[in-house]
């Protein structure tokens, strides 16, 4: 089954919303508990003091995901760079996607962004696996004029072939970030592709993080590179 | 964590056993049984720690003091110090790649030579860093006063100690409450500092060699004979204490097999060359007698001599940055030393607690900051520097011995990525040279140093006699 990494700031009492747990019921999940450390603190020192507590909490969260459907395990990481750790773990467990957990209730409506330089096929495959045979509405979004390899219509029919009814929206905003954020109000969660690092993302942060910040709800990020192993 | 889990290691007086964790070291991550520890420092970060810690004391505080003792041959003292540092940096690199863990020298010695040596060295390392930090802070105080003097505000040297105390408190608080991105800042500070120095030194060397301006008449190279060169080498060895700091963060360095040796040996070489050129330029600008009379901030006048007020300002600014970064880096290392010792049940567990609010080891930082302030208050620059050197030299000597012992036994777990060239000559000479330098210190420093070591041995006998660490590595 497709695997998803769910990073949780476990020592900062971050919780995973029930809506997200249900949504990921069709997936295998690796819960990645992490704690970001300042440089004054050797990672080993934090492990020494907090790993028992953190692992207990992670075992509970993983159990919730198992109850929702898929297989679930957990890892604990002490790091000073959350993003690097998420990518490493995703590679190691062969995850197709990672999540930026946000607050949400039941997830009925999914916004899928195909804008920008992303692998549309991989995103659509992931959405197909994620939705499965459930009644979840899907909106496909692309910024107007930005027709990549896969057109919105082709994407729509690809999903239809898997039994998923999707609306399409061609946004008029000038950039993917604004377009996604503008379309958020009618949706509970967002699926988008991982973007290549750029000067822009270096200065302002990853676009996926900024979408997550602006949209409050969870963002599922489909990874660019094929998983190294499965 | 309890005695039952690892009965073979013994327990301390409180019943705690060393916390020895099965761990797999990969290039980017350490995998333990219950968590992954991300390695976060690259080669630039490692070099910045090494160079940043070393460069402050040596270049900005010592030229005046050293020239007063050894004349122009002070450059030879620095070269000798650098050579000893290099002889120790090579064995340290080998051990660090075999055991890329927090704690550095303490870790190697406790695993190679056993608990008594480990306790003495671990606690001495803590005190050594405390003495070194106090020395850096006093140097910083001198530079603050000089900065104001350059700006036309006279504070008087009476304010040096109060300023050093205030900043000592400041650095400690800053480290407890968290300094995000301080590592990047440190890299930038070191880069800026190196640029300033290279410009001033290049200009100064050109002038001193007679390329520009009239050649200065050569001074007698050894006005006081060869003996002061050795005693001065012992004094200025504090300038080279930074490379060992790289080993204390070995557990956090990416690709430790490659980056640890490069960072340690590289920073010793870079800094050693800078020191020797600096002393050469400084003694060429003024005679050594005049240089000595200029004291802790003699370099400011050297800057002014060659480049006018701009040069003086550049040096004052550089001195501020350098002493500050040395002090800050040392406070950081101190808390790691305390952690490594406490993890092995040689100090109470609470000494290495971290708080969740800031995620920092507040107790260990306090154990660094408190004694530092007491020592700063004494204001004895030379003694502080020498005691720091003393305690580190013992550490370095024992590191070399630990390498010899480990290489002779070659236990199963011992598999370094880097092997010391010139073995066994390099570690043998390194050990002898380290111990020999101690012999050339002032009696007061030697007495304090021996006192600290006896006190730590007493602590071992009282607290951790039954703890066994030798070869305790998984």
């Amino acid at each position: 089954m497709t695997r998803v990494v769910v990073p949780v700031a476990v020592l900062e009492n971050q919780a995973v919303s029930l809506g997200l747990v249900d949504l990921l019921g069709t997936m295998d999940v690796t819960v990645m508990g992490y704690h970001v450390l300042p440089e004054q603190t050797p990672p080993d020192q934090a492990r020494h003091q907090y790993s028992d507590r953190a692992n207990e909490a992670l075992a509970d969260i993983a159990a919730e995901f198992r109850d929702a459907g898929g297989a679930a395990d957990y890892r604990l990481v002490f790091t000073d760079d959350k993003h690097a750790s998420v990518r490493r773990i995703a590679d190691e467990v062969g995850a197709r996607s990672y999540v930026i957990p946000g607050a949400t209730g039941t997830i009925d409506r999914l916004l899928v962004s195909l804008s920008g330089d992303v692998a549309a096929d991989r995103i659509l495959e992931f959405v197909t696996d994620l939705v499965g045979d459930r009644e979840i509405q899907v909106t496909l979004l692309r910024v107007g004029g930005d027709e990549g390899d896969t057109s919105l219509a082709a994407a729509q029919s690809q999903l239809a072939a898997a039994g998923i009814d999707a609306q399409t929206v061609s946004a008029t905003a000038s950039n993917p970030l604004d377009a996604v954020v503008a379309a958020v109000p009618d949706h509970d969660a967002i699926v988008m592709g991982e973007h290549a690092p750029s000067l822009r993302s270096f200065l302002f942060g990853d676009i996926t993080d900024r979408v997550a910040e602006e949209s409050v709800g969870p963002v599922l990020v489909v990874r660019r590179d094929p998983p190294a192993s499965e | 964590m309890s005695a039952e889990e690892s009965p073979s290691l013994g327990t301390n007086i409180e019943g705690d056993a060393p916390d020895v964790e099965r761990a797999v070291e990969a290039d980017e991550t350490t995998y333990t049984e219950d968590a992954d520890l991300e390695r976060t420092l690259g080669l630039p970060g490692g070099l910045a720690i090494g160079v940043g810690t070393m460069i402050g004391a040596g270049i900005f505080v010592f030229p005046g003091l050293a020239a007063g003792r050894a004349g122009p041959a002070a450059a030879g003292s620095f070269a000798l110090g650098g050579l000893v540092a290099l002889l120790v940096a090579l064995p340290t690199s080998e051990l660090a790649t075999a055991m890329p863990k927090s704690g550095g020298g303490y870790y190697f010695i406790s695993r190679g030579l056993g608990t008594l040596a480990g306790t003495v060295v671990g606690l001495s390392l803590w005190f050594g860093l405390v003495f070194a930090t106090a020395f850096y802070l006093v140097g910083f105080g001198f530079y603050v006063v000089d900065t104001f003097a350059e700006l036309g505000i006279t504070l008087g040297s009476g304010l040096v100690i109060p300023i050093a105390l205030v900043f000592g408190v400041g650095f400690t608080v800053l480290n407890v409450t968290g300094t995000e991105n301080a590592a990047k800042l440190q890299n930038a500070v070191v880069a800026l500092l190196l640029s300033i120095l290279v410009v001033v030194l290049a200009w100064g060397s050109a002038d001193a060699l007679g390329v520009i301006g009239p050649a200065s008449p050569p001074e007698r190279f050894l006005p006081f004979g060869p003996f002061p060169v050795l005693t001065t080498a012992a004094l200025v060895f504090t300038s080279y204490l930074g490379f060992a700091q790289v080993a204390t963060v070995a557990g956090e360095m990416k690709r430790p097999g490659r980056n640890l040796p490069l960072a340690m040996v590289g920073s010793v070489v870079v800094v050693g060359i800078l020191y020797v050129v600096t002393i050469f330029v400084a003694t060429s600008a003024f005679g050594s007698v005049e240089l000595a009379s200029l004291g802790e901030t003699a370099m400011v006048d050297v800057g002014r001599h060659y480049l006018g007020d701009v040069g003086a300002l550049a040096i004052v600014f550089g001195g501020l940055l350098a002493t500050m970064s040395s002090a800050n880096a040392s406070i950081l290392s101190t808390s790691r030393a305390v952690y490594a010792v406490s993890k092995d049940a040689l100090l109470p567990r609470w000494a290495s607690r971290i708080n969740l609010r800031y995620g920092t080891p507040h107790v260990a930082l306090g154990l660094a900051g408190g004694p530092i302030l007491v020592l700063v208050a004494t204001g004895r620059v030379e003694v502080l520097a020498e005691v720091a050197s003393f305690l580190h030299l013992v550490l370095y000597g024992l590191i070399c011995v630990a390498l010899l012992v480990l290489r002779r036994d070659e236990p199963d777990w011992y598999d370094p990525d880097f092997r010391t060239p010139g073995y066994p000559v390099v570690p043998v000479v390194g050990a002898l040279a380290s111990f020999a330098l101690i012999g050339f210190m002032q009696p007061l420093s030697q007495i304090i140093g021996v006192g600290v070591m006896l006190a730590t041995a007493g602590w071992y006998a009282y607290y951790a006699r039954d703890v066994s660490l030798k070869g305790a590595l998984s």
Side-chain angles (χ1 to χ4, degrees):
Chain A
M1 211 165 10
T2 311
R3 187 168 282 277
V4 176
V5 171
V6 180
V8 181
V10 65
L11 291 174
E12 285 162 22
N13 304 321
Q14 190 183 14
V16 181
S17 63
L18 277 178
L20 183 60
V21 172
D22 284 339
L23 179 69
L24 295 177
T26 51
M27 306 257 133
D28 288 343
V29 170
T30 295
V31 182
M32 179 191 122
Y34 67 90
H35 190 61
V36 177
L37 294 167
E39 60 174 305
Q40 295 88 321
T41 314
D44 189 48
Q45 188 167 358
R47 176 195 66 76
H48 192 225
Q49 194 168 337
Y50 294 114
S51 63
D52 291 348
R53 224 176 296 176
N55 278 320
E56 230 169 80
L58 288 172
D60 290 347
I61 298 175
E64 277 180 47
F65 277 105
R66 260 193 300 277
D67 291 344
D73 56 12
Y74 61 89
R75 299 274 289 268
L76 176 62
V77 183
F78 291 96
T79 181
D80 79 340
D81 184 346
K82 174 193 154 196
H83 285 96
S85 299
V86 170
R87 291 198 189 101
R88 177 178 60 77
I89 298 266
D91 283 341
E92 285 181 12
V93 301
R96 185 74 66 82
S97 156
Y98 61 88
V99 177
I100 306 169
T104 179
T106 316
I107 296 173
D108 302 316
R109 294 159 305 174
L110 216 50
L111 178 64
V112 178
S113 167
L114 299 176
S115 298
D117 171 30
V118 295
D121 281 348
R122 294 177 58 79
I123 297 176
L124 293 171
E125 258 173 54
F126 176 77
V127 170
T128 308
D129 288 350
L130 178 68
V131 174
D133 51 9
R134 297 186 290 184
E135 288 297 312
I136 295 175
Q137 292 174 21
V138 174
T139 307
L140 294 170
L141 174 84
R142 172 167 271 150
V143 177
D146 173 22
E147 281 293 323
D149 301 339
T150 317
S151 70
L152 276 179
Q156 190 179 28
S157 54
Q158 192 177 329
L159 286 183
I164 299 169
D165 261 341
Q167 301 176 280
T168 58
V169 175
S170 195
T172 48
S174 57
N175 68 61
L177 175 65
D178 293 344
V180 174
V181 171
V184 160
D186 296 327
H187 300 86
D188 304 311
I190 300 166
V191 177
M192 59 193 296
E194 190 175 41
H195 291 250
S198 64
L199 179 63
R200 213 186 166 79
S201 65
F202 177 75
L203 290 175
F204 298 107
D206 282 343
I207 185 166
T208 47
D209 282 321
R210 292 156 69 207
V211 167
E213 266 166 36
E214 305 250 345
S215 68
V216 183
V219 174
L220 285 73
V221 184
V222 180
R223 304 206 64 212
R224 282 178 76 79
D225 304 312
S229 60
E230 183 60 58
Chain B
M1 214 172 276
S2 66
E4 288 79 36
E5 284 170 27
S6 42
S8 61
L9 297 177
T11 58
N12 64 23
I13 197 168
E14 292 180 70
D16 287 327
D19 172 42
V20 178
E21 194 71 23
R22 205 167 290 282
V24 178
E25 313 285 349
D27 274 353
E28 308 280 330
T29 319
T30 299
Y31 300 92
T32 69
E33 276 161 19
D34 55 2
D36 301 353
L37 312 173
E38 213 76 65
R39 294 181 169 269
T40 54
L41 277 170
L43 180 58
L47 276 171
I49 290 175
V51 174
T53 315
M54 285 192 261
I55 214 164
I59 289 200
F60 293 98
V61 183
F62 278 131
L65 301 177
R69 284 179 167 208
S77 303
F78 273 93
L80 193 65
L83 190 68
V84 174
L86 201 59
L87 288 175
V88 179
L90 291 168
T92 310
S93 297
E94 171 170 336
L95 291 169
T97 62
M99 297 170 258
K101 310 260 190 185
S102 254
Y106 155 73
Y107 197 88
F108 317 146
I109 289 167
S110 61
R111 267 49 179 185
L113 302 178
T115 315
L116 171 61
T119 311
V120 170
V121 163
L123 298 179
S124 297
L125 180 62
W126 163 26
F127 286 113
L129 284 165
V130 161
F131 274 91
T133 313
F135 161 69
Y136 300 143
L137 279 169
V138 175
F140 176 75
F142 278 108
Y143 269 92
V144 172
V145 169
D146 259 44
T147 306
F148 279 100
E150 286 301 315
L151 299 171
I153 304 165
T154 311
L155 294 178
S157 57
L159 279 175
V160 166
I161 300 302
I163 290 169
L165 286 172
V166 168
F167 276 84
V169 173
F171 286 131
T172 311
V173 171
L174 196 68
N175 277 310
V176 170
T177 56
T179 46
E180 283 296 320
N181 295 325
K184 282 171 198 147
L185 194 68
Q186 178 93 352
N187 292 2
V189 164
V190 170
L192 183 64
L193 197 57
L194 286 179
S195 331
I196 292 176
L197 275 173
V198 166
V199 169
V200 173
L201 292 181
W203 190 273
S205 309
D207 190 294
L209 294 169
V211 181
I212 26 178
S216 45
E219 212 180 339
R220 263 188 67 201
F221 189 66
L222 285 170
F224 315 114
F227 189 71
V229 177
L230 296 174
T231 59
T232 309
L235 168 70
V236 302
F237 194 71
T238 319
S239 330
Y240 290 100
L241 299 190
F243 73 88
Q245 253 86 317
V246 181
T248 62
V249 296
E252 291 141 71
M253 190 160 283
K254 292 177 195 166
R255 300 184 62 190
R258 163 185 178 265
N259 288 341
L260 279 168
L262 280 178
M264 281 198 249
V265 174
S267 54
V268 169
V269 169
V270 167
V271 168
I273 291 172
L274 275 174
Y275 285 164
V276 173
V277 175
T278 302
I279 300 297
F280 169 73
V281 167
T283 49
S284 306
F286 304 104
S288 51
V289 179
E290 198 184 342
L291 195 63
S293 71
L294 297 170
E296 278 84 357
T297 54
M299 277 304 289
V300 178
D301 300 282
V302 174
R304 178 176 292 112
H305 177 84
Y306 287 115
L307 291 169
D309 284 345
V310 180
L313 261 178
I315 294 288
V316 158
F317 183 62
L320 271 182
L321 290 179
T323 46
M324 202 159 63
S325 87
S326 292
N328 199 41
S330 301
I331 290 179
L332 269 180
S333 302
T334 312
S335 77
R336 282 181 166 74
V338 171
Y339 164 61
V341 175
S342 136
K343 184 184 174 186
D344 285 342
L346 303 180
L347 273 183
R349 287 262 189 261
W350 52 258
S352 65
R353 291 199 70 75
I354 60 181
N355 62 74
L356 259 190
R357 168 118 190 246
Y358 301 114
T360 50
H362 56 289
V363 182
L365 289 167
L367 287 174
I372 287 169
L373 296 183
V374 174
L375 292 177
V376 166
T378 67
R380 298 284 302 272
V381 176
E382 292 195 26
V383 172
L384 291 174
E386 279 201 353
V387 175
S389 290
F390 180 109
L391 296 171
H392 278 87
L393 282 166
V394 170
L395 168 77
Y396 295 162
L398 289 179
I399 284 177
C400 295
V401 175
L403 176 71
L404 292 165
V405 169
L406 283 169
R407 277 279 199 109
R408 193 196 55 200
D409 296 348
E410 288 260 15
D412 290 340
W413 52 261
Y414 188 77
D415 181 25
D417 291 338
F418 170 86
R419 287 195 173 248
T420 306
Y423 179 91
V425 177
V426 166
V428 167
V429 178
L432 292 178
S434 299
F435 293 134
L437 273 187
I438 294 174
F440 294 104
M441 291 179 174
Q442 327 176 9
L444 178 60
S445 314
Q446 290 169 334
I447 291 168
I448 297 176
V450 170
V452 168
M453 289 183 63
L454 287 178
T456 57
W459 172 260
Y460 162 79
Y462 161 71
Y463 190 80
R465 210 175 343 170
D466 298 329
V467 175
S468 158
L469 293 170
K470 190 166 180 182
L473 192 91
S474 44

